[in-house]
């Protein structure tokens, strides 16, 4: 079997009621706004008529695909490990984003070849996954605009079935407001809900990270993630922070690849390890990180929701929660799920069952069906390799 052709479509959709924050880069609630957003859809075709696909990626990944797309033509699509290592070398001067969505499509293709889900190919056994509600960033527009709003939303998420809740806070902040919010949320939900905080590298100084971290200590938070503006990459800085607070750190969302993740753990910069099925070299790369993390006796937490994340998480022992990201009290279904999927797969605030779980798709490959007609109807650019 050989790869015969690759097609990459860039499709445009609108995100309703969300816009970029005027003084930062976060997406925040803004009623009545429509923000254009892109989806990249890759399809890998073989000479035996089997196709693997994936919708995700970003502009950087799409640009990097142009650097190695021709290399893939004629390769055996089942030799993912060979492709992973060759492409990794080709992208050695860059962040390697382009590897991820290609690798996921190759895993989807393998599932169709073997008539099995990716979970099955990985030896997975989980059929459903516990999810946590991961909020959108704070706003000043009547959504997540106060400590009370975060607390009320946490209670609402708990009532829906979520057993854990993660706060993403404001771009413009006062430390005292964040500290108040941390305490208010814990008071509202009680002691039996896991709570996490992800400032998204917004805190201006190491001192702010200590102050916020100590508030997390008092409220018994499960983890503190990417607190300050080193952008989550200083092993030494986070090692020092770990020595000054009790709340475990979750780092490595912003370092790329297996070796850098291992270096962060060995250097003492994190307690939990973050991996991403797109950013870290696809399912192949994220699986390497998960297994390396397991070797250190630590847990790995996968970034963002999606079918690839569900398939991989279903095969991992050392992981805790599926991230249902970008949920918000004024918008229950954020994202493109209702557009790009032809079946009943979806992510969003109400995509969990009464116990707070999401199902793992059972079909071949990713286990889902994309609506290629809708994707093509919204496509603004196509690149092909053959």
């Amino acid at each position: 079997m050989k790869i015969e052709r690759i097609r990459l479509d860039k499709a445009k959709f609108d995100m309703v009621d969300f816009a970029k924050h005027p003084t930062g880069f976060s997406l925040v609630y803004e009623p009545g706004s429509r923000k254009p957003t892109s989806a990249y859809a890759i399809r890998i075709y073989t000479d035996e008529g089997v196709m693997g696909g994936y919708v995700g990626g970003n502009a950087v990944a799409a640009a990097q695909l142009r650097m190695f797309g021709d290399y893939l033509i004629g390769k055996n699509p089942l030799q993912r490990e060979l492709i992973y290592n060759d492409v990794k070398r080709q992208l050695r001067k860059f962040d390697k984003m382009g590897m991820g969505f290609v690798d996921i499509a190759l895993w989807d293709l393998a599932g169709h070849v073997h008539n099995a889900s990716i979970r099955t190919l990985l030896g997975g056994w989980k059929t459903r996954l516990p999810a946590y509600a991961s909020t959108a960033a704070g706003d000043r527009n009547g959504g997540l605009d106060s400590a009370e709003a975060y607390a009320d939303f946490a209670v609402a998420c708990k009532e829906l079935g979520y057993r854990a809740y993660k706060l993403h806070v404001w771009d413009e902040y006062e430390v005292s407001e964040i500290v108040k919010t941390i305490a208010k949320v814990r008071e509202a939900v009680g002691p039996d809900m896991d709570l996490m905080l992800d400032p998204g590298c917004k805190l201006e100084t190491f001192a702010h990270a200590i102050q916020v971290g100590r508030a997390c200590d008092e409220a018994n938070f499960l983890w503190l993630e990417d607190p300050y503006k080193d952008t989550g990459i200083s092993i030494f800085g986070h090692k020092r922070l770990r020595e000054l607070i009790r709340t475990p750190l979750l780092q490595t969302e912003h370092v790329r690849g297996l070796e850098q993740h291992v270096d962060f753990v060995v250097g003492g910069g994190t307690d939990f390890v973050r991996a991403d099925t797109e950013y870290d070299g696809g399912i192949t790369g994220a699986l390497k990180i998960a297994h390396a993390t397991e070797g250190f006796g630590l847990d790995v937490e996968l970034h963002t929701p999606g079918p690839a994340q569900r398939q991989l998480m279903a095969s991992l022992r050392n992981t805790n929660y599926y991230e249902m990201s970008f949920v918000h009290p004024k918008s229950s279904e954020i994202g493109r799920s209702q557009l790009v999927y032809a079946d009943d797969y979806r992510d969003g605030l109400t995509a969990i069952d009464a116990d707070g779980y999401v199902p793992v798709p059972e079909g071949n490959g990713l286990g889902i069906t994309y609506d290629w007609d809708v994707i093509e109807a919204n496509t603004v650019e196509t690149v092909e390799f053959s």
Side-chain angles (χ1 to χ4, degrees):
M1 180 181 292
K2 294 181 180 179
I3 298 174
E4 189 173 66
R5 181 168 65 96
I6 299 172
R7 172 172 173 162
L8 177 67
D9 291 319
K10 177 183 178 181
K12 286 282 192 180
F13 301 95
D14 283 341
M15 182 175 284
V16 179
D17 292 335
F18 279 82
K20 286 285 188 180
H21 188 275
T23 60
F25 299 96
S26 300
L27 280 172
V28 297
Y29 175 66
E30 188 175 300
S33 66
R34 300 183 72 88
K35 181 190 178 299
T37 184
S38 298
Y40 292 87
I42 187 170
R43 281 174 277 185
I44 300 176
Y45 298 89
T46 69
D47 60 352
E48 295 186 12
V50 184
M51 186 270 285
Y54 180 65
V55 179
N58 53 45
V60 173
Q64 290 182 6
L65 176 59
R66 296 172 186 265
M67 299 176 60
F68 65 89
D70 289 332
Y71 152 85
L72 295 170
I73 303 304
K75 294 295 185 293
N76 183 336
L78 301 181
Q79 294 179 348
R80 294 177 302 278
E81 189 70 20
L82 173 65
I83 292 170
Y84 169 90
N85 283 285
D86 282 354
V87 173
K88 178 180 175 181
R89 180 182 178 275
Q90 171 66 2
L91 298 179
R92 65 192 181 277
K93 296 179 181 178
F94 305 94
D95 63 11
K96 306 182 182 72
M97 281 281 192
M99 297 170 63
F101 71 149
V102 171
D103 181 81
I104 295 171
L106 291 174
W107 275 98
D108 182 59
L109 190 152
H112 290 287
V113 169
H114 297 293
N115 293 315
S117 66
I118 294 171
R119 179 197 69 186
T120 300
L121 296 180
L122 292 172
W125 69 97
K126 302 174 188 177
T127 59
R128 60 184 197 139
L129 310 167
Y132 70 88
S134 182
T135 76
D139 60 81
R140 305 297 184 186
N141 300 313
L144 294 170
D145 58 359
S146 67
E148 291 75 16
Y150 274 98
D152 290 344
F153 189 42
V155 171
C157 288
K158 186 177 181 180
E159 290 173 349
L160 282 172
Y162 287 100
R163 301 179 183 185
Y165 178 82
K166 187 172 81 176
L167 299 74
H168 290 86
V169 290
W170 304 273
D171 282 36
E172 292 180 297
Y173 69 90
E174 294 290 339
V175 171
S176 59
E177 186 177 28
I178 296 176
V179 169
K180 176 184 176 182
T181 302
I182 290 167
K184 198 79 174 177
V185 170
R186 171 54 75 197
E187 179 185 4
V189 300
D192 59 345
M193 189 179 199
D194 285 334
L195 297 177
M196 306 84 115
L197 178 68
D198 181 1
C201 304
K202 295 173 185 176
L203 302 183
E204 288 287 345
T205 66
F206 185 75
H208 288 182
I210 294 172
Q211 291 172 291
V212 169
R214 286 176 175 165
C216 290
D217 293 346
E218 292 300 313
N220 194 30
F221 270 43
L222 180 60
W223 72 61
L224 172 63
E225 181 176 352
D226 285 326
Y228 68 108
K229 276 195 174 174
D230 79 306
T231 68
I233 60 174
S234 173
I235 296 175
F236 178 82
H238 290 91
K239 181 173 185 274
R240 293 290 292 127
L241 182 60
R242 288 180 64 225
E243 294 168 352
L244 295 168
I245 67 173
R246 300 191 309 273
T247 302
L249 295 187
L250 188 156
Q251 294 300 126
T252 67
E253 181 178 328
H254 304 299
V255 300
R256 298 278 69 82
L258 171 65
E259 294 82 1
Q260 293 90 330
H261 281 72
V262 170
D263 286 350
F264 225 99
V265 173
V266 172
T270 195
D271 298 287
F272 293 92
V273 175
R274 176 67 89 194
D276 190 300
T277 55
E278 286 190 11
Y279 298 170
D280 291 315
I283 290 173
T284 297
L287 183 65
K288 291 175 184 286
I289 292 167
H291 286 170
T293 301
E294 185 178 16
F296 287 107
L298 302 178
D299 289 346
V300 65
E301 300 299 326
L302 300 181
H303 181 232
T304 73
Q309 289 87 336
R310 294 194 194 190
Q311 295 291 340
L312 177 57
M313 186 176 170
S315 73
L316 302 178
R317 175 197 61 79
N318 58 321
T319 189
N320 293 284
Y321 286 113
Y322 177 79
E323 183 173 21
M324 192 66 77
S325 63
F326 217 70
V327 297
H328 192 274
K330 297 294 181 72
S331 182
S332 63
E333 306 299 335
I334 295 173
R336 314 185 267 271
S337 294
Q338 68 277 24
L339 296 174
V340 302
Y341 298 110
D343 52 24
D344 60 359
Y345 179 90
R346 66 189 181 97
D347 284 302
L349 180 64
T350 61
I352 59 168
D353 64 21
D355 297 320
Y357 283 73
V358 295
V360 179
E362 294 288 345
N364 293 340
L366 288 167
I368 48 86
T369 302
Y370 289 116
D371 193 328
W372 296 110
D373 291 337
V374 169
I375 293 167
E376 290 181 14
N378 288 277
T379 291
V380 295
E381 181 183 352
T382 299
V383 177
E384 290 203 6
F385 302 90
S386 59

